[in-house]
């Protein structure tokens, strides 16, 4: 076989060639020191690239990321807390208002009762319902 | 849950916990993948500091989107894609900013000659160790060659996977890898010739 091209050697290193081509190049390499040297240089390059992989301080990195993430979650928590407070305040206002309205209504009702009792000279409050309904 | 227990958790369980808002589970995910992300981001951005910063943006983005992650799939390919997208987005943003600021420069202002750092001076080669020469040659490759070769050699992706990850066709992947190796070979040859002559 002729000397494999640079592209073929590169694909050979990456195992991106059909099996028959790989076998052909392997046979050639055994017989051709020049191509063997070309191939070794490619492997050397790949090894160098792999060795440029660095180990970083992942704990510091993670801590920095979490610092940036946490304020967002705290903000979400504060927002929920605000919503809950507003909800509670609305419920309180509503409850108190309802109480006041009920008291006013009861007050009016009691005054009405007194008027009816005095008008009809009723002594027993058991008769009140009948008179109250019939008077309406 | 104690920190040690998080370290012992499998990936799917960690993702599920993180999806429920468990920050410690997410921290463990960062611990597991940050090295790979910082290294990849460094290759795309061209410097370790920038790689570190963009990698942080990557994990913030992952945290925001983790709920949408399908746990039946592997996590790292998803992280890798977010890393690549975030880095290129940042590079595009910078390019836009540069273009905008260049528009502001007056026409008669003298142009500045930026030294070409793509090629190392040959006379320095003999003084540096081979490993450093390879590293330097790799660092100074144009970004698209460097990233493609990195995905092949370090991330161990096939040409097809690289094509899918970078949204390019397989022919482009192949030619980028060949070109990257050719450029590195030429620089190494210069170094080896210089050291041969001196010995």
């Amino acid at each position: 076989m002729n000397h494999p091209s640079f592209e073929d050697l590169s694909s050979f290193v990456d195992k991106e060639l059909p099996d028959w081509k790989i076998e052909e190049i392997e046979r050639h390499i055994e017989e051709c020191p020049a191509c063997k040297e070309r191939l070794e240089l490619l492997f050397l390059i790949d090894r160098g690239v792999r060795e440029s992989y660095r180990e970083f301080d992942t704990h510091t990195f993670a801590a920095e990321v979490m610092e940036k993430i946490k304020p967002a979650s705290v903000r979400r928590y504060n927002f929920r807390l605000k919503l809950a407070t507003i909800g509670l305040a609305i419920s309180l206002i509503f409850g108190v208002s309802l109480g006041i309205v009920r008291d006013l209504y009861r007050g009016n009702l009691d005054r009405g009762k007194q008027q009816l009792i005095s008008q009809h000279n009723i002594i027993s409050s058991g008769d009140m319902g009948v008179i109250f309904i019939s008077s309406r | 849950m104690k920190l040690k227990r998080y370290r012992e958790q499998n990936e799917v369980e960690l993702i599920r916990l993180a999806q429920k808002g468990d920050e410690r589970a997410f921290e463990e995910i960062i611990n597991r993948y940050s090295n790979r992300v910082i290294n990849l981001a460094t290759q795309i951005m061209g410097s370790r500091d920038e790689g570190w910063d963009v990698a942080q943006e990557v994990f913030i983005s992952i945290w925001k989107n983790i709920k949408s992650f399908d746990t039946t799939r592997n996590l790292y390919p998803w992280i890798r894609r977010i890393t690549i997208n975030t880095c290129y987005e940042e590079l595009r943003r910078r390019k836009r900013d540069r273009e905008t600021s260049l528009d502001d420069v007056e026409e008669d202002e003298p142009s500045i000659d930026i030294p070409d750092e793509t090629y190392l001076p040959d006379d320095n080669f003999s003084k540096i160790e081979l490993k450093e020469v390879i590293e330097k040659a790799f660092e100074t490759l144009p970004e698209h060659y460097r990233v493609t070769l990195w995905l092949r050699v370090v991330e161990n992706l096939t040409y097809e996977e690289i094509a899918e990850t970078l949204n390019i066709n397989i022919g482009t992947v192949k030619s980028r890898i060949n070109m990257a190796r050719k450029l590195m070979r030429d620089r190494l040859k210069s170094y080896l010739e210089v050291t041969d002559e001196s010995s």
Side-chain angles (χ1 to χ4, degrees):
Chain A
M1 120 182 236
N2 291 330
H3 296 295
S5 64
F6 180 86
E7 285 72 20
D8 279 348
L9 285 181
S10 178
S11 298
F12 177 84
V13 170
D14 293 332
K15 299 181 189 78
E16 292 271 358
L17 286 174
D19 290 345
W20 66 267
K21 188 88 182 170
I22 290 176
E23 283 165 21
E24 199 178 81
I25 291 174
E26 276 172 348
R27 275 198 302 274
H28 179 83
I29 296 299
E30 280 174 23
E31 296 161 2
C32 178
C35 283
K36 194 178 177 190
E37 201 175 305
R38 290 165 69 206
L39 191 64
E40 278 170 356
L41 191 60
L42 289 181
F43 279 119
L44 184 72
I45 288 169
D46 278 15
R47 206 180 68 204
V49 171
R50 267 192 291 274
E51 283 173 3
S52 66
Y53 185 91
R54 292 276 170 272
E55 291 294 330
F56 291 89
D57 179 1
T58 53
H59 290 288
T60 306
F61 179 83
E64 284 180 19
V65 174
M66 295 316 290
E67 269 306 302
K68 288 181 180 174
I69 284 171
K70 269 176 186 164
S73 61
V74 168
R75 273 199 302 276
R76 268 202 305 277
Y77 173 75
N78 285 344
F79 177 70
R80 283 176 193 156
L81 196 70
K82 260 184 203 168
L83 270 184
T85 313
I86 291 167
L88 195 71
I90 290 170
S91 317
L92 265 172
I93 293 165
F94 183 73
V96 169
S97 313
L98 201 71
I100 292 168
V101 168
R102 198 189 59 192
D103 286 351
L104 281 172
Y105 178 73
R106 275 192 182 160
N108 285 340
L109 208 65
D110 288 345
R111 273 198 297 280
K113 261 189 210 173
Q114 292 300 327
Q115 271 178 354
L116 279 171
I117 290 166
S118 59
Q119 276 170 15
H120 300 281
N121 202 17
I122 298 164
I123 296 162
S124 160
S125 61
D127 300 329
M128 264 299 295
V130 181
I131 295 161
F132 184 69
I133 289 161
S134 59
S135 69
R136 288 184 116 195
Chain B
M1 205 188 287
K2 284 185 180 170
L3 209 62
K4 198 186 163 198
R5 299 258 318 261
Y6 285 100
R7 280 190 210 126
E8 289 160 1
Q9 287 288 337
N10 67 42
E11 188 178 281
V12 175
E13 199 47 46
L14 279 176
I15 299 164
R16 285 198 183 123
L17 288 167
Q19 285 176 329
K20 286 176 192 162
D22 189 328
E23 289 177 358
R24 280 188 150 188
F26 188 66
E27 199 169 342
E28 180 54 29
I29 291 174
I30 299 175
N31 283 330
R32 287 187 192 182
Y33 293 108
S34 54
N35 253 322
R36 291 168 83 174
V37 171
I38 302 167
N39 270 286
L40 177 58
T42 298
Q43 295 312 321
I44 302 174
M45 301 307 292
S47 85
R48 271 175 228 169
D49 286 347
E50 286 174 293
W52 178 279
D53 290 344
V54 176
Q56 292 198 346
E57 295 305 315
V58 168
F59 280 102
I60 291 168
S61 172
I62 292 167
W63 171 249
K64 285 178 186 165
N65 294 293
I66 192 110
K67 279 182 184 165
S68 67
F69 180 73
D70 174 6
T71 49
T72 59
R73 300 174 71 186
N74 284 333
L75 182 62
Y76 185 66
W78 185 64
I79 293 180
R80 182 170 46 221
R81 190 169 281 265
I82 292 178
T83 307
I84 290 170
N85 289 346
T86 309
C87 288
Y88 283 120
E89 214 170 274
E90 176 62 21
L91 288 175
R92 274 195 296 273
R93 193 189 60 78
R94 286 182 192 182
K95 197 181 168 196
R96 274 199 305 272
D97 289 352
R98 254 203 321 274
E99 281 166 357
T100 314
S101 63
L102 276 175
D103 288 344
D104 297 338
V105 176
E106 285 178 34
E107 279 182 15
D108 56 351
E109 198 170 313
S111 62
I112 304 158
D113 283 326
I114 301 163
D116 183 7
E117 291 176 13
T118 316
Y119 294 96
L120 288 167
D122 285 355
D123 56 349
N124 279 347
F125 276 11
S126 56
K127 297 169 193 166
I128 318 169
E129 291 295 319
L130 180 64
K131 193 186 157 195
E132 285 174 25
V133 174
I134 298 175
E135 209 171 286
K136 198 77 192 162
F138 182 62
E139 277 175 17
T140 52
L141 281 178
E143 169 270 316
H144 52 291
Y145 293 152
R146 195 175 58 234
V147 174
T148 315
L149 189 60
W150 180 268
L151 291 174
R152 171 68 209 108
V153 175
V154 181
E155 302 259 340
N156 217 14
L157 298 188
T158 61
Y159 289 178
E160 199 181 341
E161 287 167 332
I162 297 170
E164 202 181 303
T165 307
L166 296 178
N167 274 328
I168 52 177
N169 61 51
I170 293 184
T172 310
V173 172
K174 208 171 167 182
S175 71
R176 281 186 187 181
I177 288 174
N178 288 337
M179 203 57 204
R181 285 188 174 131
K182 263 184 192 166
L183 286 170
M184 288 190 68
R185 179 200 63 182
D186 293 346
R187 288 169 207 185
L188 269 174
K189 266 188 176 174
S190 311
Y191 166 75
L192 294 169
E193 277 162 17
V194 170
T195 46
D196 275 356
E197 281 167 19
S198 60
S199 61

